[in-house]
Amino acid sequence: MRDIHYFARKLSHREYWRFFPEFESDIAYLDIETDGGFYGDVITMIGVYDGQEYRSFIEGINLREFPEYIEPFKGVVTFFGTCFDLPVVNRQFGGVLKKKVHIDLHPLMRRLGQRGGLKKIERRFGIRRSNDTEGLTGRHAVLLWKRHRRGESSALDLLVQYNKEDVMHLKTLMQIAYERLRREALEAFWSDSAPRISVRVEDGLPLL
């Protein structure tokens, strides 16, 4: 059975990491950039990585194509998307992500003792940025968009590169989180002092 929503109904959000890698081909990695507006963020760009190819959807160019592109994916992986990316996207695109199974790497990393933002956690795991984007933050992304709007073409190129690295690194972190959480789950399962997890084999639930 390959119905990710069937299994999602049987697990808490905290355990959605267990879907990976069984449903990896159904998952998209997603990150947004916004204008940093005082009265509410407006999306300037959405980056999506399907594990093989990166796509960017940019305001004024092809942002309206995003809902159609994301529709076939059954799940999305973000970093802190619960509080930022998903609410902003759903508000701007009529709840397009509401039915997607969402794996948020931010709380998963905290479970592994990794606190801080995406860039800090990347460095701890030896994930490197390109020379062009090293040191850039979300604040720089807002400024790059403003420079693009003023006609500076190189600013958009750099913004896309920055977003691309954000999104593609999510897959690497997802793989790390899965392997470490899986190892912890196995150790807990075989520990005499840990409570046993009851699993119906016929469900085919990819718990470990």
Side-chain angles (χ1 to χ4, degrees), residues 105-191:
L105 284 168
H106 181 256
L108 291 185
M109 285 295 162
R110 289 175 68 91
R111 284 174 64 178
L112 296 172
Q114 299 296 329
R115 297 179 179 273
L118 177 62
K119 315 302 188 297
K120 288 184 178 179
I121 293 175
E122 287 176 353
R123 287 194 292 271
R124 294 189 195 119
F125 286 116
I127 302 171
R128 300 301 177 191
R129 295 262 165 170
S130 65
N131 291 335
D132 291 336
T133 64
E134 182 65 37
L136 295 184
T137 65
R139 178 175 177 274
H140 292 103
V142 172
L143 295 175
L144 285 170
W145 178 255
K146 291 179 179 178
R147 286 164 53 186
H148 158 66
R149 297 289 286 180
R150 291 197 297 265
E152 188 177 332
S153 60
S154 61
L156 181 59
D157 293 338
L158 184 55
L159 178 60
V160 170
Q161 181 62 29
Y162 168 78
N163 179 269
K164 181 178 182 180
E165 292 177 20
D166 270 0
V167 174
M168 295 183 70
H169 291 174
L170 292 179
K171 180 179 180 180
T172 303
L173 290 176
M174 183 68 244
Q175 292 169 327
I176 291 171
Y178 174 80
E179 289 301 329
R180 296 195 176 198
L181 289 168
R182 177 178 180 272
R183 185 164 61 246
E184 288 185 3
L186 285 171
E187 290 172 354
F189 182 81
W190 294 114
S191 171

Side-chain angles (χ1 to χ4, degrees), residues 29-70:
Y29 305 85
L30 181 147
D31 183 69
I32 71 172
E33 312 297 343
T34 72
D35 65 353
F38 182 78
Y39 294 104
D41 293 291
V42 174
I43 296 172
T44 58
M45 178 181 167
I46 303 176
V48 184
Y49 181 52
D50 67 0
Q52 301 293 327
E53 180 183 12
Y54 167 80
R55 290 281 303 274
S56 60
F57 299 89
I58 302 168
E59 169 61 30
I61 300 177
N62 64 342
L63 186 60
R64 292 183 179 181
E65 298 174 11
F66 169 75
E68 182 178 359
Y69 176 80
I70 203 67

Side-chain angles (χ1 to χ4, degrees), residues 84-120:
F84 182 62
D85 303 74
L86 266 65
V88 175
V89 171
N90 284 329
R91 183 172 65 246
Q92 191 159 332
F93 288 100
V96 68
L97 299 179
K98 283 186 175 180
K99 294 183 179 180
K100 308 292 184 189
V101 172
H102 177 218
I103 303 174
D104 191 336
L105 284 168
H106 181 256
L108 291 185
M109 285 295 162
R110 289 175 68 91
R111 284 174 64 178
L112 296 172
Q114 299 296 329
R115 297 179 179 273
L118 177 62
K119 315 302 188 297
K120 288 184 178 179

